[in-house]
Amino acid sequence: MNALMFCMLHVCLYTTCTPGAGGQRKASDPLEPELWIVMNHQEAGGRKGESWNSGGGCRERNAESLHTRQPESPQAKAASFTAKDTGRCATWNLAQISIFSIPRALAKHFWAEVGGVGRCKRLCWGDLATLEAAGERGSGGPRGGTVERASGAPSASSTASGERGGDGVHSRAAAGASAMFAGLQDLGVANGEDLKETLTNCTEPLKAIEQFQTENGVLLPSLQSALPFLDLHGTPRLEFHQSVFDELRDKLLERVSAIASEGKAEERYKKLEDLLEKSFSLVKMPSLQPVVMCVMKHLPKVPEKKLKLVMADKELYRACAVEVKRQIWQDNQALFGDEVSPLLKQYILEKESALFSTELSVLHNFFSPSPKTRRQGEVVQKLTQMVGKNVKLYDMVLQFLRTLFLRTRNVHYCTLRAELLMSLHDLDVSDICTVDPCHKFTWCLDACIRERFVDSKRARELQGFLDGVKKGQEQVLGDLSMILCDPFAINTLSLSTIRHLQELVSQETLPRDSPDLLLLLRLLALGQGAWDLIDSQVFKEPKMEAELITKFLPMLMSFVVDDYTFNVDQKLPAEEKAPVTYPNTLPESFTKFLQEQRMACEVGLYYVLHITKQRNKNALLRLLPGLVETFGDLAFSDIFLHLLTGSLALLADEFALEDFCSSLFDGFFLTASPRKENVHRHVLRLLLHLHPRVAPSKLEALQKALEPTGQSGEAVKELYSQLGEKLEQLDHRKPSPTQAAETPALELPLPNVPAPAPL
């Protein structure tokens, strides 16, 4: 493992010492304090592309012919390296070589002489800007900047650039690069600073560079003969070393994952801790950062010191895995809250958006998705991943949800509380499910929501959980009430209550004699009292009003009997049918119950939804006046209006009647739309869907009544604009009265058909 890591570091160093590798430098950056020169001289006599001069047995070799990377440019010609040997001269194009950093001190002289045994090498510098541009083109780096023609001395612009090089953007970039590669020194691996120091103090820079390449390159004997072959195919050295590095890094990542899953826990964690200690100094190197992060990911307990360093650096914090972030979050509730808060806001917006969907349907409404489908949502899945198996983080999320529920009274937070627990249940996270006292209760209730009905068996299970709350553990009722306050739970309990009432009518049984109905009401009361229970911190089940069971529910049953009686009478033969009219009066006590008792109001509203789904226009018109004033304006809540507008789509033909529209819009919707924007939006949703069925005179009056004011929100204005466009299209499709009168009737004479001949 260490040998592989060391090899990776050497390859990393070899590739990142060049501007092309790290991408830290642009051609427009000042040249101070370093100058980029080329160095890739190779002996390859007799290869294709060599041209021989006739004078003095000297041959000149163009590097373009050897490397075939880029066309030779005048700028590249200006920067050349000339080596003289006995009787011959060889010249290389410097635009095709690897780029290294060399101090400006070595570039101040236009001609630099370096003596060698048996030969004389002369380095031709040329203009510094020209040299820089040639070097960056050769390395595949960015192109840009003004390139001047080479001259016998450094140009004024080059000098000025050198004087400015100690500060500004380049100095900050250099400081950042130095900090990035500072970890190499801790591992005994040379970096750019070591190379700069070596070249500053040496007398033979070319030999120093060659030695540096040899020591830090890939030490394979067979590679020395293969690299020139890659040069002939135009493959840059950077590309080759980068591919080797990527392969080694992938192998190392696989090995780290293998170590994390092999052997005893203590042994593998000890290996990972040792590897993290040796490699953590490289965590800021982008190329090696994934390896360090992978090691931290597989450690169940990252050292506190390293967690603080990661938390203090925003880039490292964003890059680390969620497994590492969990260890940071569990001791930093504020930081965890910052991560969770956007997800909670997104969740609420998604729920509200679903309630205001333009689609009106009984089959596809807010409550249509199954519980398991809802748990696959983005927010629930992200929260599940963030929590993992960490009980402390799970408790934090629950505390956030309780706080937000108390602050906003938004019941969608209750939905999220149940969905998060069941999402962890789906993943079999026993560490959390076994310690949450609401787990089995939520699991049973989730099955009821899936079936949209609470049968007798599950009702007894739910009752057992409530009765099993021991003395001193009453706080569990707070969480149970929050789970029951979930709109999906309230919807299931209310539908089950209406269904039980219908069964009691057929059985001629009173509500007080039905244990299943009483249990449903008990659960419904606990859910509706969730906010008061958590806010007061008095964890006791709310008491149900006796009149709810002895008066209100029997009154609802009498409404059901009225419907049955009227329907049976309508099916009788004409001679047996008596003149019976549907009762249109509403008992005052019914309206009073809806205004004063939340339980009665909830059950009454679901009864209204039930008769609307049954297309019972008479019962709907009878009960609508009692919905104008209800407990807490529940009749104008988004959930009820969403369900009501969807059910009204089944009565589309009735909207052509003036009396029906007046009772529905004037007598109910328009009483609240001026003061409640959500009602305004739901009415516009309804008209967008049913406007072709509404009587024209009534439609025109509704359009004027629903015109947005200056205080109306953008959503209302957008819906009203869409309605206006729909009405314009409707007007264009209708023929004008004059056109209808002028159109002659199409009369075709019937052909005479002869009578069939008698048989």
Side-chain angles (χ1 to χ4, degrees):
M1 173 67 71
N2 291 339
L4 185 59
M5 188 75 177
F6 190 73
C7 184
M8 287 183 62
L9 295 177
H10 275 264
V11 175
C12 175
L13 174 64
Y14 185 80
T15 55
T16 54
C17 281
T18 72
Q24 298 294 327
R25 190 170 183 281
K26 298 180 180 179
S28 59
D29 291 341
L31 294 175
E32 185 76 11
E34 47 199 0
L35 173 70
W36 307 101
I37 68 168
V38 265
M39 198 243 132
N40 190 8
H41 54 286
Q42 300 183 21
E43 300 290 341
R47 295 177 183 171
K48 181 180 179 180
E50 292 181 353
S51 58
W52 290 85
N53 293 334
S54 58
C58 175
R59 69 178 183 180
E60 176 176 313
R61 181 169 59 206
N62 184 1
E64 173 63 23
S65 303
L66 181 60
H67 300 296
T68 63
R69 296 182 185 175
Q70 296 185 28
E72 186 178 9
S73 61
Q75 291 83 0
K77 290 179 180 179
S80 62
F81 175 82
T82 305
K84 287 187 177 181
D85 204 346
T86 307
R88 72 178 184 177
C89 172
T91 304
W92 287 268
N93 178 5
L94 298 186
Q96 310 301 329
I97 59 91
S98 301
I99 312 301
F100 284 86
S101 172
I102 200 168
R104 174 172 289 276
L106 297 178
K108 287 186 176 179
H109 301 286
F110 189 77
W111 300 100
E113 297 288 345
V114 180
V117 180
R119 69 169 59 177
C120 175
K121 296 182 180 179
R122 186 168 62 181
L123 183 63
C124 177
W125 290 97
D127 181 72
L128 298 183
T130 303
L131 185 58
E132 179 193 14
E136 288 198 344
R137 290 190 181 95
S139 64
R143 304 187 182 196
T146 304
V147 179
E148 300 180 1
R149 180 175 297 179
S151 60
S155 64
S157 61
S158 300
T159 305
S161 174
E163 292 173 356
R164 293 190 304 267
D167 55 3
V169 177
H170 180 68
S171 61
R172 290 194 296 270
S178 299
M180 182 182 297
F181 300 112
L184 293 174
Q185 292 180 339
D186 299 338
L187 299 176
V189 180
N191 60 12
E193 294 296 327
D194 297 322
L195 177 61
K196 183 182 296 185
E197 183 179 356
T198 300
L199 294 177
T200 303
N201 299 326
C202 72
T203 57
E204 297 185 10
L206 298 181
K207 286 186 177 181
I209 292 174
E210 185 174 0
Q211 181 180 359
F212 187 87
Q213 282 184 305
T214 303
E215 292 176 351
N216 296 282
V218 181
L219 303 178
L220 291 177
S222 59
L223 187 63
Q224 301 305 318
S225 58
L227 284 177
F229 181 74
L230 293 177
D231 295 336
L232 289 173
H233 286 272
T235 303
R237 295 289 178 85
L238 172 61
E239 183 179 338
F240 164 72
H241 286 97
Q242 188 64 47
S243 65
V244 173
F245 178 83
D246 293 342
E247 186 70 21
L248 289 173
R249 181 178 56 196
D250 293 341
K251 294 292 184 183
L252 184 55
L253 289 172
E254 293 176 4
R255 181 58 185 149
V256 170
S257 299
I259 290 176
S261 58
E262 295 175 353
K264 298 180 180 180
E266 295 181 0
E267 294 178 358
R268 63 173 180 261
Y269 293 151
K270 182 65 169 62
K271 292 179 181 178
L272 292 175
E273 288 174 357
D274 293 342
L275 186 57
L276 178 62
E277 192 64 32
K278 294 177 181 178
S279 61
F280 189 78
S281 57
L282 305 173
V283 71
K284 292 189 178 182
M285 291 181 63
S287 51
L288 286 174
Q289 190 179 85
V291 179
V292 184
M293 292 301 180
C294 183
V295 176
M296 298 175 67
K297 172 184 175 181
H298 290 98
L299 274 175
K301 179 71 174 172
V302 178
E304 186 69 21
K305 181 179 179 182
K306 291 178 174 53
L307 285 179
K308 289 182 178 180
L309 291 174
V310 171
M311 185 175 61
D313 192 306
K314 293 183 179 179
E315 297 296 330
L316 293 181
Y317 175 76
R318 281 195 292 264
C320 67
V322 68
E323 290 83 357
V324 181
K325 289 181 179 178
R326 288 191 199 119
Q327 300 183 42
I328 296 175
W329 293 333
Q330 67 180 3
D331 297 323
N332 294 271
Q333 185 174 2
L335 182 60
F336 185 55
D338 293 339
E339 294 283 345
V340 171
S341 180
L343 295 176
L344 302 183
K345 291 179 181 178
Q346 178 184 344
Y347 184 85
I348 298 302
L349 289 176
E350 289 175 356
K351 292 297 182 183
E352 292 177 350
S353 176
L355 287 172
F356 288 103
S357 171
T358 55
E359 182 181 7
L360 296 183
S361 173
V362 176
L363 300 177
H364 303 285
N365 57 35
F366 180 77
F367 296 106
S368 296
S370 66
K372 197 158 189 177
T373 301
R374 290 186 283 113
R375 293 196 290 271
Q376 304 308 313
E378 179 185 1
V379 173
V380 177
Q381 289 298 308
K382 282 186 176 180
L383 285 176
T384 304
Q385 183 186 24
M386 292 170 70
V387 170
K389 299 180 180 180
N390 195 306
V391 178
K392 192 172 182 180
L393 293 181
Y394 178 70
D395 287 339
M396 285 186 190
V397 175
L398 297 190
Q399 187 58 41
F400 294 153
L401 295 177
R402 293 188 198 101
T403 303
L404 291 170
F405 175 54
L406 286 176
R407 185 182 303 170
T408 64
R409 290 179 179 262
N410 195 321
V411 292
H412 298 311
Y413 290 115
C414 302
T415 306
L416 183 55
R417 193 260 186 262
E419 287 180 351
L420 178 60
L421 176 56
M422 290 308 300
S423 177
L424 294 168
H425 166 85
D426 293 341
L427 297 175
D428 197 19
V429 184
S430 57
D431 296 5
I432 292 177
C433 293
T434 54
V435 299
D436 191 333
C438 303
H439 171 234
K440 291 184 178 179
F441 181 88
T442 309
W443 188 7
C444 182
L445 185 62
D446 185 77
C448 298
I449 294 173
R450 183 176 64 247
E451 302 295 332
R452 292 186 174 87
F453 180 68
V454 182
D455 57 28
S456 299
K457 180 181 177 181
R458 292 198 176 106
R460 287 192 295 269
E461 291 182 18
L462 294 173
Q463 183 180 9
F465 293 128
L466 290 180
D467 295 339
V469 176
K470 298 178 181 179
K471 189 175 182 180
Q473 298 178 349
E474 290 84 359
Q475 289 186 351
V476 176
L477 289 175
D479 281 330
L480 291 178
S481 66
M482 193 171 176
I483 291 171
L484 287 169
C485 189
D486 170 17
F488 290 86
I490 295 290
N491 179 67
T492 301
L493 294 172
S494 300
L495 291 176
S496 300
T497 300
I498 299 299
R499 184 169 172 178
H500 273 286
L501 287 175
Q502 291 178 303
E503 293 176 354
L504 292 178
V505 170
S506 61
Q507 297 171 3
E508 298 183 1
T509 305
L510 292 175
R512 63 188 178 190
D513 297 329
S514 173
D516 290 344
L517 178 60
L518 295 178
L519 175 60
L520 289 174
L521 296 175
R522 179 185 176 187
L523 295 172
L524 199 56
L526 184 58
Q528 290 179 340
W531 191 90
D532 296 324
L533 197 69
I534 298 174
D535 181 58
S536 65
Q537 293 292 297
V538 178
F539 299 105
K540 292 182 179 180
E541 289 190 46
K543 293 182 179 180
M544 284 186 295
E545 297 290 340
E547 292 185 348
L548 173 70
I549 301 172
T550 59
K551 293 185 178 180
F552 179 76
L553 293 182
M555 190 186 306
L556 278 185
M557 293 174 66
S558 69
F559 293 162
V560 176
V561 172
D562 291 340
D563 291 334
Y564 284 166
T565 305
F566 183 79
N567 291 334
V568 169
D569 184 73
Q570 296 300 314
K571 294 177 182 178
L572 291 175
E575 59 274 9
E576 299 180 9
K577 185 184 300 184
V580 178
T581 58
Y582 192 88
N584 54 11
T585 59
L586 193 64
E588 294 183 2
S589 57
F590 179 80
T591 305
K592 186 176 181 181
F593 272 114
L594 294 185
Q595 294 174 355
E596 297 179 356
Q597 293 190 22
R598 175 161 187 159
M599 283 280 295
C601 183
E602 193 76 45
V603 176
L605 292 179
Y606 267 86
Y607 178 72
V608 172
L609 293 175
H610 169 72
I611 60 177
T612 308
K613 288 179 184 178
Q614 299 297 319
R615 296 182 173 88
N616 192 338
K617 181 189 73 171
N618 294 322
L620 176 63
L621 294 179
R622 179 187 183 186
L623 297 180
L624 270 178
L627 305 184
V628 176
E629 294 184 14
T630 54
F631 183 92
D633 272 345
L634 286 179
F636 298 115
S637 64
D638 289 331
I639 293 177
F640 175 73
L641 291 179
H642 171 86
L643 296 175
L644 179 63
T645 51
S647 300
L648 286 172
L650 299 174
L651 293 169
D653 295 337
E654 304 295 338
F655 281 82
L657 303 176
E658 186 79 20
D659 293 342
F660 181 81
C661 290
S662 297
S663 299
L664 181 63
F665 291 104
D666 299 338
F668 177 61
F669 282 123
L670 296 183
T671 60
S673 61
R675 59 187 173 87
K676 286 183 172 291
E677 185 170 304
N678 68 311
V679 180
H680 200 161
R681 292 177 65 179
H682 284 290
V683 177
L684 290 173
R685 288 176 57 244
L686 181 64
L687 289 178
L688 276 173
H689 187 75
L690 296 176
H691 67 275
R693 306 293 186 91
V694 181
S697 58
K698 192 64 182 176
L699 188 60
E700 184 178 355
L702 288 173
Q703 188 178 12
K704 292 180 180 179
L706 295 172
E707 185 175 359
T709 63
Q711 298 178 350
S712 299
E714 292 298 326
V716 171
K717 295 178 181 178
E718 178 64 24
L719 287 173
Y720 186 81
S721 175
Q722 294 178 14
L723 178 61
E725 294 174 0
K726 294 279 187 181
L727 295 181
E728 289 180 3
Q729 295 174 3
L730 190 64
D731 292 338
H732 289 316
R733 286 198 296 265
K734 290 182 178 179
S736 63
T738 55
Q739 289 177 344
E742 293 175 357
T743 303
L746 185 62
E747 297 180 358
L748 295 177
L750 295 176
N752 295 324
V753 180
L759 297 176

